[in-house]
Amino acid sequence: MFSIGKIKFDHYPLFLAPMEDVTDVSFRYICKQYGADMMYTEFIASEALVRNIDKTVKKMHLEDSERPVGIQIYGHDVDHMVEAAKMAAELNPDLIDINCGCPVKKIATRGDGAGLLQNIPLMINIVENVVKAVPNIPVTVKTRLGWDDNSKIIVTLAEQLQDVGIKALAIHGRTRMQFYKGEADWTLIGEVKNNPRMYIPIIGNGDVDSPQKAGEMKNRYGVDAIMIGRAAVGCPWIFKTIHDYFETGIIPQEPDVHERVRLAKLQLKTSMEWKGDVRGILEMRRHYSQYFKSLPDFKSYRMKLVTSLDIAELNSLLDEIEQKYS
């Protein structure tokens, strides 16, 4: 259907959005099994990367089995971003993505992520220099509609980013000041896609949490791909569900409790292998409620799952959940 550099998509693709403390190796492994067509690392601070902080460098680890996969970097210093991009390029990712959309206060208020929406000349300068620094790897950008309701500049910004050489643009349908409140507005995403001056792929992001919503956004706005973020947390099968819906027009049943327990155990195991026992267990906690959110009277189990640091106890709880709700 379209390409980003050497990445070719022969069917309508679904992207897993980069998310801090979420899209690590363990979660990407699960999402790939369920049909995520393109994935990204957690977003990586360029300043920490050039300082060779071990935890940050480790975030760039890629497995061949998860390709195509991109490394996402962020920052507001041109030299640091160029150096970070070169370091990322050494790992041969399928693309390098620049985060111009993270709304988190500690990032945006220092001029990183969505903070660059308040300094468009700097954003363009960073992107242009990163593109030049890694000529053999496609560079893409993920951003938002603008900083606030009075500065929804995405239509013009998209052209500027295209002019300095990016190969695709992902747009979240909110401003920075909205964070994740209210509904994502896809009308401007559609305006970018349908701008006759745009020729790079446009990826739509925001509030896609069901096959029906994915179909609506695809058909109404004509975006080249859909990116899914929060809706995939604890629900990695959403990619397969949407793909099946696009192919058959029928909404498939979601996995039963046996499959959910299997996935929770697998992700927990992989998370611990990659991050160590304690951190692996802690970072898995955000996923449990979502894995089992449709189960009645689950509160007592949830409290135990998000407080225990004992792997034997956690596996025993998961076994008990499977037995009780099967």
Short mmCIF file of all heavy atoms in Angstrom, two decimals, residues 279-305:
data_model
loop_
_atom_site.label_atom_id
_atom_site.label_comp_id
_atom_site.label_asym_id
_atom_site.label_seq_id
_atom_site.Cartn_x
_atom_site.Cartn_y
_atom_site.Cartn_z
N ARG A 279 11.95 -4.58 39.06
CA ARG A 279 11.45 -3.61 38.10
C ARG A 279 10.49 -4.25 37.11
O ARG A 279 9.49 -3.66 36.69
CB ARG A 279 12.62 -2.96 37.36
CG ARG A 279 12.18 -1.81 36.45
CD ARG A 279 13.34 -0.95 36.02
NE ARG A 279 12.92 -0.13 34.88
CZ ARG A 279 13.57 -0.06 33.74
NH1 ARG A 279 14.67 -0.76 33.55
NH2 ARG A 279 13.14 0.71 32.76
N GLY A 280 10.78 -5.50 36.72
CA GLY A 280 9.90 -6.19 35.80
C GLY A 280 8.51 -6.38 36.37
O GLY A 280 7.51 -6.22 35.67
N ILE A 281 8.44 -6.72 37.66
CA ILE A 281 7.14 -6.88 38.32
C ILE A 281 6.43 -5.54 38.46
O ILE A 281 5.23 -5.42 38.18
CB ILE A 281 7.33 -7.55 39.71
CG1 ILE A 281 7.72 -9.02 39.54
CG2 ILE A 281 6.06 -7.42 40.54
CD1 ILE A 281 8.12 -9.71 40.82
N LEU A 282 7.17 -4.51 38.87
CA LEU A 282 6.56 -3.20 39.07
C LEU A 282 5.97 -2.64 37.78
O LEU A 282 4.86 -2.10 37.76
CB LEU A 282 7.58 -2.22 39.64
CG LEU A 282 8.03 -2.46 41.09
CD1 LEU A 282 9.15 -1.49 41.45
CD2 LEU A 282 6.86 -2.30 42.05
N GLU A 283 6.70 -2.78 36.68
CA GLU A 283 6.23 -2.20 35.43
C GLU A 283 5.14 -3.03 34.76
O GLU A 283 4.48 -2.55 33.84
CB GLU A 283 7.41 -1.96 34.49
CG GLU A 283 8.35 -0.91 35.05
CD GLU A 283 9.29 -0.31 34.01
OE1 GLU A 283 9.17 -0.67 32.83
OE2 GLU A 283 10.14 0.50 34.41
N MET A 284 4.92 -4.23 35.24
CA MET A 284 3.82 -5.05 34.73
C MET A 284 2.50 -4.67 35.38
O MET A 284 1.42 -4.93 34.83
CB MET A 284 4.14 -6.53 35.00
CG MET A 284 3.10 -7.51 34.49
SD MET A 284 2.93 -7.47 32.68
CE MET A 284 1.43 -8.45 32.49
N ARG A 285 2.56 -4.00 36.51
CA ARG A 285 1.35 -3.73 37.27
C ARG A 285 0.30 -2.95 36.50
O ARG A 285 -0.90 -3.17 36.65
CB ARG A 285 1.70 -2.99 38.57
CG ARG A 285 2.37 -3.89 39.60
CD ARG A 285 2.78 -3.12 40.84
NE ARG A 285 3.30 -4.02 41.87
CZ ARG A 285 3.81 -3.61 43.02
NH1 ARG A 285 3.86 -2.31 43.29
NH2 ARG A 285 4.26 -4.49 43.90
N ARG A 286 0.74 -2.01 35.66
CA ARG A 286 -0.21 -1.18 34.92
C ARG A 286 -1.06 -2.00 33.94
O ARG A 286 -2.09 -1.54 33.48
CB ARG A 286 0.52 -0.07 34.17
CG ARG A 286 1.31 -0.57 32.97
CD ARG A 286 2.05 0.55 32.27
NE ARG A 286 3.12 1.09 33.11
CZ ARG A 286 3.21 2.37 33.44
NH1 ARG A 286 2.32 3.23 33.01
NH2 ARG A 286 4.20 2.79 34.20
N HIS A 287 -0.61 -3.20 33.62
CA HIS A 287 -1.29 -3.99 32.59
C HIS A 287 -2.39 -4.90 33.15
O HIS A 287 -3.31 -5.27 32.43
CB HIS A 287 -0.27 -4.86 31.84
CG HIS A 287 0.74 -4.07 31.08
ND1 HIS A 287 0.56 -3.70 29.75
CD2 HIS A 287 1.94 -3.56 31.45
CE1 HIS A 287 1.61 -3.02 29.34
NE2 HIS A 287 2.47 -2.92 30.35
N TYR A 288 -2.30 -5.28 34.44
CA TYR A 288 -3.23 -6.28 34.96
C TYR A 288 -4.69 -5.85 34.87
O TYR A 288 -5.55 -6.63 34.43
CB TYR A 288 -2.90 -6.61 36.42
CG TYR A 288 -1.61 -7.36 36.62
CD1 TYR A 288 -0.64 -6.87 37.49
CD2 TYR A 288 -1.36 -8.55 35.96
CE1 TYR A 288 0.54 -7.55 37.69
CE2 TYR A 288 -0.18 -9.24 36.15
CZ TYR A 288 0.78 -8.73 37.02
OH TYR A 288 1.96 -9.40 37.21
N SER A 289 -4.99 -4.64 35.32
CA SER A 289 -6.40 -4.20 35.33
C SER A 289 -7.00 -4.24 33.94
O SER A 289 -8.18 -4.56 33.76
CB SER A 289 -6.50 -2.78 35.90
OG SER A 289 -6.15 -2.77 37.26
N GLN A 290 -6.17 -3.92 32.94
CA GLN A 290 -6.67 -3.93 31.57
C GLN A 290 -6.84 -5.35 31.04
O GLN A 290 -7.80 -5.65 30.33
CB GLN A 290 -5.73 -3.12 30.68
CG GLN A 290 -5.63 -1.66 31.06
CD GLN A 290 -6.99 -0.98 31.03
OE1 GLN A 290 -7.75 -1.09 30.08
NE2 GLN A 290 -7.30 -0.26 32.11
N TYR A 291 -5.90 -6.22 31.35
CA TYR A 291 -6.02 -7.60 30.91
C TYR A 291 -7.34 -8.22 31.38
O TYR A 291 -7.96 -9.00 30.67
CB TYR A 291 -4.87 -8.44 31.45
CG TYR A 291 -3.68 -8.58 30.52
CD1 TYR A 291 -2.40 -8.21 30.93
CD2 TYR A 291 -3.82 -9.08 29.23
CE1 TYR A 291 -1.31 -8.33 30.09
CE2 TYR A 291 -2.74 -9.21 28.38
CZ TYR A 291 -1.49 -8.83 28.81
OH TYR A 291 -0.42 -8.96 27.97
N PHE A 292 -7.76 -7.86 32.59
CA PHE A 292 -8.91 -8.53 33.20
C PHE A 292 -10.06 -7.57 33.50
O PHE A 292 -10.90 -7.85 34.36
CB PHE A 292 -8.47 -9.23 34.49
CG PHE A 292 -7.32 -10.18 34.30
CD1 PHE A 292 -6.08 -9.91 34.86
CD2 PHE A 292 -7.47 -11.33 33.54
CE1 PHE A 292 -5.02 -10.78 34.67
CE2 PHE A 292 -6.42 -12.21 33.34
CZ PHE A 292 -5.18 -11.93 33.91
N LYS A 293 -10.14 -6.45 32.77
CA LYS A 293 -11.09 -5.41 33.13
C LYS A 293 -12.55 -5.83 32.98
O LYS A 293 -13.42 -5.24 33.58
CB LYS A 293 -10.82 -4.15 32.31
CG LYS A 293 -11.03 -4.29 30.81
CD LYS A 293 -10.71 -2.99 30.11
CE LYS A 293 -10.84 -3.14 28.59
NZ LYS A 293 -10.50 -1.87 27.90
N SER A 294 -12.82 -6.84 32.17
CA SER A 294 -14.22 -7.24 31.97
C SER A 294 -14.69 -8.27 32.99
O SER A 294 -15.86 -8.66 32.98
CB SER A 294 -14.38 -7.84 30.57
OG SER A 294 -13.55 -8.98 30.41
N LEU A 295 -13.82 -8.69 33.89
CA LEU A 295 -14.20 -9.72 34.86
C LEU A 295 -14.92 -9.09 36.05
O LEU A 295 -14.47 -8.07 36.59
CB LEU A 295 -12.96 -10.47 35.34
CG LEU A 295 -12.14 -11.20 34.27
CD1 LEU A 295 -10.99 -11.95 34.90
CD2 LEU A 295 -13.02 -12.15 33.45
N PRO A 296 -16.02 -9.68 36.50
CA PRO A 296 -16.77 -9.12 37.64
C PRO A 296 -16.07 -9.39 38.97
O PRO A 296 -15.34 -10.38 39.11
CB PRO A 296 -18.12 -9.86 37.57
CG PRO A 296 -17.79 -11.17 36.91
CD PRO A 296 -16.69 -10.87 35.92
N ASP A 297 -16.28 -8.49 39.92
CA ASP A 297 -15.77 -8.68 41.28
C ASP A 297 -14.27 -8.98 41.28
O ASP A 297 -13.80 -9.91 41.95
CB ASP A 297 -16.53 -9.81 41.99
CG ASP A 297 -18.02 -9.55 42.05
OD1 ASP A 297 -18.41 -8.39 42.28
OD2 ASP A 297 -18.78 -10.50 41.81
N PHE A 298 -13.53 -8.18 40.54
CA PHE A 298 -12.10 -8.46 40.37
C PHE A 298 -11.23 -7.63 41.30
O PHE A 298 -10.02 -7.84 41.38
CB PHE A 298 -11.71 -8.18 38.91
CG PHE A 298 -10.33 -8.65 38.55
CD1 PHE A 298 -10.06 -10.00 38.39
CD2 PHE A 298 -9.30 -7.73 38.39
CE1 PHE A 298 -8.78 -10.44 38.08
CE2 PHE A 298 -8.02 -8.17 38.07
CZ PHE A 298 -7.76 -9.52 37.91
N LYS A 299 -11.81 -6.73 42.06
CA LYS A 299 -11.03 -5.76 42.83
C LYS A 299 -10.03 -6.41 43.78
O LYS A 299 -8.88 -5.97 43.88
CB LYS A 299 -11.97 -4.84 43.61
CG LYS A 299 -11.24 -3.74 44.37
CD LYS A 299 -12.22 -2.80 45.07
CE LYS A 299 -11.47 -1.71 45.82
NZ LYS A 299 -12.42 -0.78 46.52
N SER A 300 -10.44 -7.45 44.47
CA SER A 300 -9.52 -8.06 45.45
C SER A 300 -8.31 -8.68 44.76
O SER A 300 -7.19 -8.61 45.26
CB SER A 300 -10.26 -9.13 46.26
OG SER A 300 -10.73 -10.19 45.42
N TYR A 301 -8.54 -9.28 43.59
CA TYR A 301 -7.42 -9.83 42.84
C TYR A 301 -6.50 -8.71 42.34
O TYR A 301 -5.27 -8.83 42.37
CB TYR A 301 -7.91 -10.65 41.65
CG TYR A 301 -8.46 -12.01 42.04
CD1 TYR A 301 -9.81 -12.30 41.91
CD2 TYR A 301 -7.62 -13.00 42.53
CE1 TYR A 301 -10.32 -13.55 42.25
CE2 TYR A 301 -8.11 -14.25 42.89
CZ TYR A 301 -9.46 -14.52 42.75
OH TYR A 301 -9.96 -15.76 43.11
N ARG A 302 -7.13 -7.64 41.86
CA ARG A 302 -6.32 -6.54 41.34
C ARG A 302 -5.41 -5.97 42.42
O ARG A 302 -4.22 -5.71 42.18
CB ARG A 302 -7.21 -5.43 40.79
CG ARG A 302 -6.43 -4.29 40.15
CD ARG A 302 -7.35 -3.18 39.66
NE ARG A 302 -8.05 -2.53 40.76
CZ ARG A 302 -7.51 -1.59 41.54
NH1 ARG A 302 -6.27 -1.19 41.34
NH2 ARG A 302 -8.22 -1.06 42.51
N MET A 303 -5.94 -5.80 43.62
CA MET A 303 -5.14 -5.24 44.70
C MET A 303 -3.95 -6.14 45.03
O MET A 303 -2.84 -5.66 45.29
CB MET A 303 -6.01 -5.05 45.96
CG MET A 303 -7.05 -3.96 45.80
SD MET A 303 -6.32 -2.34 45.39
CE MET A 303 -5.30 -2.06 46.83
N LYS A 304 -4.16 -7.44 44.99
CA LYS A 304 -3.06 -8.37 45.26
C LYS A 304 -2.02 -8.34 44.14
O LYS A 304 -0.82 -8.39 44.39
CB LYS A 304 -3.61 -9.79 45.45
CG LYS A 304 -4.45 -9.97 46.70
CD LYS A 304 -5.08 -11.36 46.75
CE LYS A 304 -5.99 -11.52 47.95
NZ LYS A 304 -6.67 -12.85 47.98
N LEU A 305 -2.51 -8.27 42.91
CA LEU A 305 -1.59 -8.27 41.76
C LEU A 305 -0.71 -7.04 41.74
O LEU A 305 0.45 -7.09 41.31
CB LEU A 305 -2.38 -8.36 40.45
CG LEU A 305 -3.02 -9.72 40.12
CD1 LEU A 305 -3.99 -9.57 38.95
CD2 LEU A 305 -1.95 -10.76 39.79
#
